[in-house]
Amino acid sequence: MELGNQIRIHRTARGLSQEDLAEKIYVSRQTISNWETDRTYPDVQSLLLLSALFDVTIDELVKGDVKTMRETVEANKMNKLGWIMLVCVVLCVALIGPCFSMWGFPGLVLPFALWAVAMVSAVIVDRIKKKNDVKTYSEILAFMEGKPVDREKAARERKNHLVRKTLLVIGFGACGGIIAYASLMLFS
């Protein structure tokens, strides 16, 4: 995060100690320390006081943080969507047999609905990946961990990405088919 560095830079440029700054904006010295070490983030009132005291706009004060916050939100969203996809696919495959044996073809509505939720989640994750120019597994991991992306390594991985993706789809399809078939046989 950049805000902690910005506060420290502006504070020291004005010759203020953490204690001095704390008195001027009505917080404790420990609060200033927490902000400067990125343990906590100032509230809106404190940001306004800091921007007035340092004679900078709030945008200038937090400019680097907005991008970081947006990426963190996107990464958290991808994590949640990934779990949704996994749970829905597992439930879909596990419920095909029991639902079909109990209700016949109308019983397949529930597994189909779970599959549809998983596919919608996959589409949303794909849009997030495209928006953030994330294509390979290493890029996704770097993005999720907030680390910089090694573009040379990513370019090497992209060459093999299509083959791995195809094998993954075939493998999951085959496993899902086998499990669904076994579930149908078991519950028929």
Side-chain angles (χ1 to χ4, degrees):
M1 297 288 243
E2 293 295 317
L3 182 62
N5 290 332
Q6 291 289 338
I7 293 171
R8 187 179 307 107
I9 289 167
H10 287 291
R11 177 181 60 78
T12 55
R14 284 163 181 71
L16 298 171
S17 67
Q18 287 183 342
E19 185 72 36
D20 296 334
L21 179 59
E23 287 176 14
K24 289 185 182 292
I25 61 169
Y26 314 107
V27 295
S28 69
R29 187 215 51 83
Q30 185 61 41
T31 299
I32 301 297
S33 175
N34 287 339
W35 292 346
E36 290 185 356
T37 56
D38 293 322
R39 281 187 228 129
T40 60
Y41 207 83
D43 60 14
V44 174
Q45 180 67 29
S46 297
L47 282 173
L48 288 169
L49 291 170
L50 287 168
S51 72
L53 180 67
F54 295 151
D55 195 29
V56 296
T57 66
I58 292 178
D59 286 344
E60 291 172 319
L61 205 54
V62 298
K63 71 178 175 185
D65 288 350
V66 173
K67 182 180 178 194
T68 303
M69 287 179 213
R70 188 172 289 121
E71 288 175 355
T72 300
V73 168
E74 297 279 319
N76 289 339
K77 190 174 182 180
M78 280 181 60
N79 279 335
K80 288 177 187 172
L81 290 169
W83 280 106
I84 289 170
M85 284 188 295
L86 179 65
V87 169
C88 286
V89 167
V90 167
L91 286 174
C92 173
V93 170
L95 292 175
I96 286 176
C99 288
F100 184 75
S101 68
M102 288 171 44
W103 300 296
F105 284 107
L108 296 179
V109 170
L110 177 62
F112 179 75
L114 290 168
W115 173 82
V117 169
M119 293 302 105
V120 168
S121 298
V123 168
I124 294 170
V125 167
D126 196 48
R127 285 184 182 163
I128 293 171
K129 287 172 24 184
K130 285 179 184 174
K131 177 181 170 188
N132 292 287
D133 193 29
V134 176
K135 295 179 181 80
T136 64
Y137 296 126
S138 65
E139 287 177 304
I140 292 169
L141 289 173
F143 175 77
M144 300 295 265
E145 295 168 0
K147 296 178 182 175
V149 176
D150 181 356
R151 294 292 175 182
E152 291 177 14
K153 182 179 178 184
R156 289 190 303 271
E157 284 187 10
R158 266 190 214 107
K159 292 178 183 177
N160 297 324
H161 185 67
L162 182 60
V163 172
R164 284 185 287 181
K165 190 173 181 178
T166 303
L167 291 175
L168 189 64
V169 168
I170 291 170
F172 274 118
C175 289
I178 291 169
I179 292 170
Y181 177 76
S183 180
L184 282 171
M185 292 298 111
L186 184 66
F187 291 99
S188 296

